[in-house]
Amino acid sequence: IAGITQAPTSQILAAGRRMTLRCTQDMRHNAMYWYRQDLGLGLRLIHYSNTAGTTGKGEVPDGYSVSRANTDDFPLTLASAVPSQTSVYFCASSARDSNPLEQFFGPGTRLTVL
Amino acid sequence: AQSVAQPEDQVNVAEGNPLTVKCTYSVSGNPYLFWYVQYPNRGLQFLLKYITGDNLVKGSYGFEAEFNKSQTSFHLKKPSALVSDSALYFCAVRSLTGGFKTIFGAGTRLFVKA
């Protein structure tokens, strides 16, 4: 692995189903983030984690949960998917949260909720 | 509250001509400013950042940006556009008083015609 990987690449999901989007980084970055990208709205932060064991809410956290059991993995779970969660989801990481370092992004997961 | 505005949804330029993609921001305290580029079906890639110092920042692929505190702007520029520069460009801002959160603009699509 080099950088950030996300799985699946794309998914079509029935409303009401549970879904976990996976994110793994091999850069030993402390901070990780989940964004959703919607046309005309840019990227909006869903949840973040400053370091392993801690998480926090972003701009649009409702309907989503995250965990950070270790440095490398930061899964995003939709407990009961709704059509408004149709979006492209990006995971990102940065080296240190206290410094304004740039973020590194994964390739994204395209999710469609029907 | 932090905010970023990219006033143009789309910018069209001819290959070889200079390009400018506009960005204005609003933050409390000193801003940390970033530009990212997104190619089709890919995650965002970091281009350049302004933290402190010289107002003219140089980044990847010949891009540069000028920080203007009085106008609260951070426009992205390139002296001579290439067709391969065609992509979606995002401006982002972060301040220490805003914590770790980075706010992204809605994005500007750049079309460079041969």
Side-chain angles (χ1 to χ4, degrees):
Chain A
I1 299 177
I4 298 182
T5 59
Q6 292 184 237
T9 302
S10 65
Q11 182 75 46
I12 299 174
L13 190 67
R17 296 295 296 270
R18 179 185 180 91
M19 175 74 190
T20 295
L21 308 185
R22 300 185 297 277
C23 174
T24 299
Q25 54 106 354
D26 65 354
M27 297 175 284
R28 307 303 294 172
H29 284 173
N30 288 330
M32 296 187 75
Y33 316 85
W34 273 106
Y35 295 91
R36 58 178 291 174
Q37 183 180 21
D38 301 290
L39 189 64
L41 297 176
L43 273 74
R44 292 181 292 170
L45 182 66
I46 305 171
H47 285 288
Y48 66 91
S49 169
N50 292 339
T51 189
T54 69
T55 63
K57 294 181 179 180
E59 183 183 357
V60 288
D62 295 343
Y64 306 95
S65 63
V66 292
S67 62
R68 187 87 183 277
N70 57 61
T71 297
D72 298 344
D73 301 302
F74 191 44
L76 176 74
T77 297
L78 289 67
S80 179
V82 295
S84 62
Q85 292 177 310
T86 294
S87 187
V88 181
Y89 291 85
F90 288 100
C91 180
S93 69
S94 63
R96 284 199 306 275
D97 187 66
S98 59
N99 286 326
L101 297 179
E102 62 270 23
Q103 296 181 22
F104 295 82
F105 285 80
T109 294
R110 185 175 296 276
L111 181 67
T112 302
V113 182
L114 302 177
Chain B
Q2 298 174 202
S3 66
V4 177
Q6 294 182 240
E8 303 155 315
D9 291 336
Q10 183 171 312
V11 170
N12 298 311
V13 297
E15 188 173 35
N17 284 359
L19 70 86
T20 299
V21 182
K22 296 179 180 178
C23 172
T24 59
Y25 66 90
S26 175
V27 296
S28 56
N30 293 323
Y32 301 113
L33 296 155
F34 305 82
W35 276 102
Y36 290 83
V37 60
Q38 184 180 31
Y39 298 101
N41 301 312
R42 301 285 296 275
L44 277 68
Q45 298 176 32
F46 169 77
L47 272 181
L48 51 79
K49 65 184 175 184
Y50 171 82
I51 305 301
T52 186
D54 193 349
N55 289 345
L56 185 64
V57 178
K58 295 187 182 296
S60 306
Y61 312 120
F63 284 93
E64 58 188 28
E66 185 167 13
F67 170 61
N68 187 316
K69 187 173 182 177
S70 63
Q71 298 185 3
T72 62
S73 67
F74 189 57
H75 301 332
L76 182 69
K77 300 180 179 183
K78 187 173 182 180
S80 179
L82 299 173
V83 172
S84 57
D85 292 330
S86 298
L88 188 57
Y89 291 81
F90 290 95
C91 182
V93 65
R94 173 174 166 165
S95 75
L96 286 183
T97 57
F100 64 91
K101 296 175 186 176
T102 300
I103 304 298
F104 288 82
T108 298
R109 189 164 297 280
L110 174 67
F111 284 104
V112 181
K113 294 179 287 188

